[in-house]
Amino acid sequence: MKKFFSTALAHGLFWQLIGILVGAGLVTGIRATMGLSVTAKFFFTEPAWVLGGFFGVLFFIAGSGAVSDWYKWARGIDTPEHHEDHHTGWEKYLSVSLDHKVIGIQYTVTALVLLSLGGLFALIFRTELAQSQLQFLTVEMQLFGQNGPQLYNTLMSLHGMIMIVSILLGVAGIMNYVVPLLLGAQDMAFPRLNAFSYWIAVPAAVLLVMSLILGGFDTGWTGYPPLSARAPVGMQMFFLGVFTAGWSSILGALNVIVTVVRMRAKGMTAMRMPILVWASVATSIIALTATQLIGLSFQLVMFQRLFGMGFFDPAKGGNPVLFQHLFWFYSHPAVYVFVLPGLGVISELLPVFARKPLFGYRWIAMSSLGIALVGFIVWAHHMFTSGMNEYLRVPFMYSTLLVAIPTGVKFFSWVATIWKGKISYETPMLFVIGAIVVFLMGGLTGPPNATVSTDLHLHDTYFIVGHFHDTIFGGFVFPFFAALYYWFPKATGRRMNETLGKIHFWLMTPSFFVMTLGMMRIGLLGMRRRIADYDPALGFDNTHLVLTIAGFLIAISVCVFMYNFFNSIKNGEKAEGNVWNSRSPEWQVPSPMPAHNYDQPFEVVGEPYDYGLPGSKYVEFIAPSKNTHK
Amino acid sequence: MSHTQDKSSALGQGVVIFVYLAVLTILEYFVAVTFSAVSILVVVAVIKLALVMYYYMHIYKLNEESDSDTHSYSYKTGSNRLGLWLFLLSDAFVFAGLLTVRINLLGLTRPHLNQLLGLGVTAILLISSFFMNRGETLMANGDKKGFINNAIITFVLGLGFLLGVVAVEWPTAASEGLTPGSGAAGAVFYMMTGMHAFHVFTGLIFLLVVINNARKDVYSAEKHWGIEAAAVYWHFVDLVWIIFYPALYLIGKLLA
């Protein structure tokens, strides 16, 4: 326990609390001198909570020590390029480290924590939905200043956003851990910025959870005004939390792009980069730029609430639909931020387990960029029913359908890579195949939503919910698990239990199909999304019960995974060699990876995925005598 | 690091670009007050953007070949430069979003604002950019004292701009009925100027940091990335104002 209190996490959380009190106290003091009200339903007034939340983030960052080197630089003091970690045990992962591998693991574990939290929220409201009528989230109950249905709304909204943050952190975790290794770099281009990007996500997560306690909010994760302009104060914490998490994503993306451009090994030309690197660049281009727009849109609603600025208030000449444009300009491309690295993982792992060259390398590399760029011009397909100008509908329909082309390229490549391969079905490969099938389901259910005529009926139904979960499980969750099983030995020198891994897969996949297909079925029949209750006369009770059971089965399978993951760190079977018989450079050296990665730099001498071709080689380590660097 | 230009021609170039920018700004102002031609204003703004990005922010340096030793100062500066430009690209999306809000809500109308005040603060910011460029050029030639003097002038002008907007412009507009809560025009005006002022404020802090470090002899003619970053950031803030000034003050019909 004493060890815990000396970590950056403990310091940061302590200072965040102080920051909240200072910020809120400041506003309360000013209000008192101005003769305004100083307390409200949740003790402090709304402006006090907002400044408090903001100060909390600043104090967390300062208190955790993530910016201490920058502070030294600002005062003209030089610091060594690399810091050795002070800690060796688990405390290392709760402290500020500049090592990209440590940061990658920090990201990944935080993502798993948030995944569990978001999943828990889902289980709570899924249980309520198992039967029509309100069973335990009743109108009479009260918790955190909300009654049952309001709590349902908050949990449902937070499930969305906490999962999104979890996914962003998971994506960052994979990119952080793997990309520098694939490039042959010692670290990311900006190690301090990397640490900052991770640490700022922690107070953001705290703010999101605070929104639950401070009265919650009932807008869904999208936070549309006018509803979000008058939701409880929890709305502001939600906005602030997302805004803060956005900076994590933006700065992390910046770091990835610079690292890929500047720090590749000798001989690694663009067309010899691993596919996961291409996917990371594509994802980072979106995260770097578009994320600002969700931050801005939330900030504008925040200011509308605080200062009465009428951006989205029609009574003041504002335009609520404008919010949706700003919001979706990020939030649609965001789904490509979630799935592109996952699709990269699929392409990365498939040749390893099929023992065949990746089919159509160039096309796959370009399709990632293609999806990212087309993704910038499709946002208004979320708004076909919003009352936006009707002439915008058809162009956005076509641009959306265009996404199917680069995505289709990926599928053809995967199928052609599997074709006549010598496939071995180890756990990572199972998840890769699962990802392909599930993502295909998500892909096929997309065009009905993109087509105006059908979307007008499907909008806001469970069909959308089913479609979305298919794309995200196929594009992120399955590949994420595949990546964790695959790179786990690299990080720990041990491998996860195969039997438990297979149980995880065979429990999760069928349950997941039952869940999303069931969602789509009742969606087509008219089940509206985001509501706490439904009319028993609709006859959805049985389907909802099945969906709830399927949801719990998925949760159990994830519990199996969690046990396997944390247990294998200490007790897993030793695996220090090239476990998967991969050609990739990180597997050519023993696991776990030492602190500054490769002892000897390597040179790229061939194509990355020429599995099964005799005599072919991807990398060659440069002998120390030939090495010109120190 | 090789200098492609000698000191006097580099300083002379800064003056010439400043004159171009000043003339274009005056042209812009007169186009707006005599015959309101949006297309001319857009073209002028784009030319100003290009001038600042090329000559003051030297975007071409992104293409510079750097040392092959990845641990050298010049290689790291190359990476830092790319990182800074990516950050500015990201930041530009905030301002582009605000511009979109302005166009969506106000269209071809504009709020009633004090024109002379607007032209005044614009001039101050433009002049500050000139001194910033001068300071950076001097530092690249090893003139530490020259840098500090010019950076202090930049700082004072920047502070003048900030106060001009927040302490003069805002109360003036508010006294004429344009408040944050008065309607879409007020909301847009305070949000755009406020977001820009916040960036000016961070730029001022950045300037203080590099001035202080220069006094401690942290920088040299070859190694002064901190100064380059502060200068590029400062010009970026100017760049945003090149768009925001016509968007708020010049384009469209006056709102009743």
Side-chain angles (χ1 to χ4, degrees), chain A residues 352-363:
Chain A
V352 179
F353 292 96
R355 310 310 302 167
K356 263 187 64 194
L358 181 70
F359 187 87
Y361 169 90
R362 273 165 193 265
W363 286 89

PDB file of all heavy atoms in Angstrom, chain A residues 352-363:
ATOM      1  N   VAL A 352       1.070 -14.851 -40.912  1.00  0.00           N
ATOM      2  CA  VAL A 352       1.875 -15.625 -39.962  1.00  0.00           C
ATOM      3  C   VAL A 352       1.237 -16.989 -39.731  1.00  0.00           C
ATOM      4  O   VAL A 352       1.919 -18.011 -39.672  1.00  0.00           O
ATOM      5  CB  VAL A 352       1.992 -14.866 -38.620  1.00  0.00           C
ATOM      6  CG1 VAL A 352       2.805 -15.676 -37.625  1.00  0.00           C
ATOM      7  CG2 VAL A 352       2.599 -13.498 -38.826  1.00  0.00           C
ATOM      8  N   PHE A 353      -0.094 -17.012 -39.597  1.00  0.00           N
ATOM      9  CA  PHE A 353      -0.767 -18.258 -39.267  1.00  0.00           C
ATOM     10  C   PHE A 353      -1.215 -19.030 -40.503  1.00  0.00           C
ATOM     11  O   PHE A 353      -1.572 -20.194 -40.415  1.00  0.00           O
ATOM     12  CB  PHE A 353      -1.950 -17.999 -38.341  1.00  0.00           C
ATOM     13  CG  PHE A 353      -1.505 -17.533 -36.994  1.00  0.00           C
ATOM     14  CD1 PHE A 353      -1.451 -16.186 -36.700  1.00  0.00           C
ATOM     15  CD2 PHE A 353      -1.100 -18.441 -36.033  1.00  0.00           C
ATOM     16  CE1 PHE A 353      -1.013 -15.751 -35.456  1.00  0.00           C
ATOM     17  CE2 PHE A 353      -0.669 -18.020 -34.792  1.00  0.00           C
ATOM     18  CZ  PHE A 353      -0.620 -16.672 -34.506  1.00  0.00           C
ATOM     19  N   ALA A 354      -1.231 -18.356 -41.677  1.00  0.00           N
ATOM     20  CA  ALA A 354      -1.573 -19.083 -42.900  1.00  0.00           C
ATOM     21  C   ALA A 354      -0.314 -19.522 -43.640  1.00  0.00           C
ATOM     22  O   ALA A 354      -0.395 -20.263 -44.616  1.00  0.00           O
ATOM     23  CB  ALA A 354      -2.434 -18.208 -43.806  1.00  0.00           C
ATOM     24  N   ARG A 355       0.852 -19.046 -43.156  1.00  0.00           N
ATOM     25  CA  ARG A 355       2.154 -19.387 -43.750  1.00  0.00           C
ATOM     26  C   ARG A 355       2.181 -19.121 -45.250  1.00  0.00           C
ATOM     27  O   ARG A 355       2.640 -19.937 -46.047  1.00  0.00           O
ATOM     28  CB  ARG A 355       2.532 -20.860 -43.503  1.00  0.00           C
ATOM     29  CG  ARG A 355       2.428 -21.359 -42.103  1.00  0.00           C
ATOM     30  CD  ARG A 355       3.091 -20.507 -41.083  1.00  0.00           C
ATOM     31  NE  ARG A 355       4.529 -20.267 -41.282  1.00  0.00           N
ATOM     32  CZ  ARG A 355       5.217 -19.334 -40.609  1.00  0.00           C
ATOM     33  NH1 ARG A 355       4.618 -18.556 -39.748  1.00  0.00           N
ATOM     34  NH2 ARG A 355       6.501 -19.177 -40.822  1.00  0.00           N
ATOM     35  N   LYS A 356       1.646 -17.976 -45.627  1.00  0.00           N
ATOM     36  CA  LYS A 356       1.618 -17.605 -47.042  1.00  0.00           C
ATOM     37  C   LYS A 356       1.858 -16.102 -47.142  1.00  0.00           C
ATOM     38  O   LYS A 356       1.544 -15.375 -46.208  1.00  0.00           O
ATOM     39  CB  LYS A 356       0.228 -17.897 -47.632  1.00  0.00           C
ATOM     40  CG  LYS A 356       0.105 -19.208 -48.371  1.00  0.00           C
ATOM     41  CD  LYS A 356      -1.252 -19.278 -49.033  1.00  0.00           C
ATOM     42  CE  LYS A 356      -1.402 -18.194 -50.089  1.00  0.00           C
ATOM     43  NZ  LYS A 356      -2.797 -18.027 -50.496  1.00  0.00           N
ATOM     44  N   PRO A 357       2.374 -15.599 -48.268  1.00  0.00           N
ATOM     45  CA  PRO A 357       2.517 -14.145 -48.405  1.00  0.00           C
ATOM     46  C   PRO A 357       1.154 -13.461 -48.332  1.00  0.00           C
ATOM     47  O   PRO A 357       0.139 -14.032 -48.759  1.00  0.00           O
ATOM     48  CB  PRO A 357       3.127 -13.971 -49.799  1.00  0.00           C
ATOM     49  CG  PRO A 357       3.731 -15.286 -50.131  1.00  0.00           C
ATOM     50  CD  PRO A 357       2.898 -16.313 -49.435  1.00  0.00           C
ATOM     51  N   LEU A 358       1.151 -12.244 -47.792  1.00  0.00           N
ATOM     52  CA  LEU A 358      -0.086 -11.455 -47.768  1.00  0.00           C
ATOM     53  C   LEU A 358      -0.447 -11.105 -49.202  1.00  0.00           C
ATOM     54  O   LEU A 358       0.393 -10.623 -49.961  1.00  0.00           O
ATOM     55  CB  LEU A 358       0.138 -10.183 -46.945  1.00  0.00           C
ATOM     56  CG  LEU A 358      -1.060  -9.262 -46.792  1.00  0.00           C
ATOM     57  CD1 LEU A 358      -2.102  -9.909 -45.898  1.00  0.00           C
ATOM     58  CD2 LEU A 358      -0.636  -7.924 -46.218  1.00  0.00           C
ATOM     59  N   PHE A 359      -1.696 -11.330 -49.556  1.00  0.00           N
ATOM     60  CA  PHE A 359      -2.129 -11.088 -50.936  1.00  0.00           C
ATOM     61  C   PHE A 359      -2.332  -9.582 -51.152  1.00  0.00           C
ATOM     62  O   PHE A 359      -3.054  -8.940 -50.402  1.00  0.00           O
ATOM     63  CB  PHE A 359      -3.428 -11.851 -51.210  1.00  0.00           C
ATOM     64  CG  PHE A 359      -3.858 -11.801 -52.639  1.00  0.00           C
ATOM     65  CD1 PHE A 359      -3.380 -12.729 -53.551  1.00  0.00           C
ATOM     66  CD2 PHE A 359      -4.734 -10.827 -53.084  1.00  0.00           C
ATOM     67  CE1 PHE A 359      -3.758 -12.686 -54.871  1.00  0.00           C
ATOM     68  CE2 PHE A 359      -5.120 -10.766 -54.402  1.00  0.00           C
ATOM     69  CZ  PHE A 359      -4.634 -11.703 -55.305  1.00  0.00           C
ATOM     70  N   GLY A 360      -1.702  -9.027 -52.196  1.00  0.00           N
ATOM     71  CA  GLY A 360      -1.948  -7.631 -52.582  1.00  0.00           C
ATOM     72  C   GLY A 360      -1.491  -6.613 -51.564  1.00  0.00           C
ATOM     73  O   GLY A 360      -2.262  -5.736 -51.163  1.00  0.00           O
ATOM     74  N   TYR A 361      -0.217  -6.694 -51.148  1.00  0.00           N
ATOM     75  CA  TYR A 361       0.295  -5.795 -50.114  1.00  0.00           C
ATOM     76  C   TYR A 361      -0.009  -4.331 -50.408  1.00  0.00           C
ATOM     77  O   TYR A 361      -0.522  -3.601 -49.568  1.00  0.00           O
ATOM     78  CB  TYR A 361       1.809  -6.005 -49.962  1.00  0.00           C
ATOM     79  CG  TYR A 361       2.474  -4.950 -49.124  1.00  0.00           C
ATOM     80  CD1 TYR A 361       2.607  -5.114 -47.752  1.00  0.00           C
ATOM     81  CD2 TYR A 361       2.942  -3.764 -49.698  1.00  0.00           C
ATOM     82  CE1 TYR A 361       3.184  -4.133 -46.977  1.00  0.00           C
ATOM     83  CE2 TYR A 361       3.521  -2.775 -48.933  1.00  0.00           C
ATOM     84  CZ  TYR A 361       3.642  -2.962 -47.576  1.00  0.00           C
ATOM     85  OH  TYR A 361       4.211  -1.986 -46.807  1.00  0.00           O
ATOM     86  N   ARG A 362       0.324  -3.878 -51.622  1.00  0.00           N
ATOM     87  CA  ARG A 362       0.152  -2.458 -51.939  1.00  0.00           C
ATOM     88  C   ARG A 362      -1.301  -2.014 -51.784  1.00  0.00           C
ATOM     89  O   ARG A 362      -1.587  -0.930 -51.287  1.00  0.00           O
ATOM     90  CB  ARG A 362       0.560  -2.189 -53.386  1.00  0.00           C
ATOM     91  CG  ARG A 362       2.014  -1.923 -53.525  1.00  0.00           C
ATOM     92  CD  ARG A 362       2.464  -2.016 -54.973  1.00  0.00           C
ATOM     93  NE  ARG A 362       3.909  -2.063 -54.970  1.00  0.00           N
ATOM     94  CZ  ARG A 362       4.676  -0.984 -55.126  1.00  0.00           C
ATOM     95  NH1 ARG A 362       4.132   0.190 -55.350  1.00  0.00           N
ATOM     96  NH2 ARG A 362       5.980  -1.076 -55.054  1.00  0.00           N
ATOM     97  N   TRP A 363      -2.206  -2.870 -52.241  1.00  0.00           N
ATOM     98  CA  TRP A 363      -3.623  -2.515 -52.195  1.00  0.00           C
ATOM     99  C   TRP A 363      -4.107  -2.405 -50.757  1.00  0.00           C
ATOM    100  O   TRP A 363      -4.889  -1.510 -50.419  1.00  0.00           O
ATOM    101  CB  TRP A 363      -4.438  -3.560 -52.952  1.00  0.00           C
ATOM    102  CG  TRP A 363      -4.259  -3.418 -54.424  1.00  0.00           C
ATOM    103  CD1 TRP A 363      -3.309  -4.005 -55.187  1.00  0.00           C
ATOM    104  CD2 TRP A 363      -5.027  -2.589 -55.292  1.00  0.00           C
ATOM    105  NE1 TRP A 363      -3.435  -3.603 -56.479  1.00  0.00           N
ATOM    106  CE2 TRP A 363      -4.479  -2.744 -56.586  1.00  0.00           C
ATOM    107  CE3 TRP A 363      -6.115  -1.750 -55.097  1.00  0.00           C
ATOM    108  CZ2 TRP A 363      -5.001  -2.059 -57.677  1.00  0.00           C
ATOM    109  CZ3 TRP A 363      -6.637  -1.077 -56.182  1.00  0.00           C
ATOM    110  CH2 TRP A 363      -6.075  -1.235 -57.466  1.00  0.00           C
TER     111      TRP A 363
END
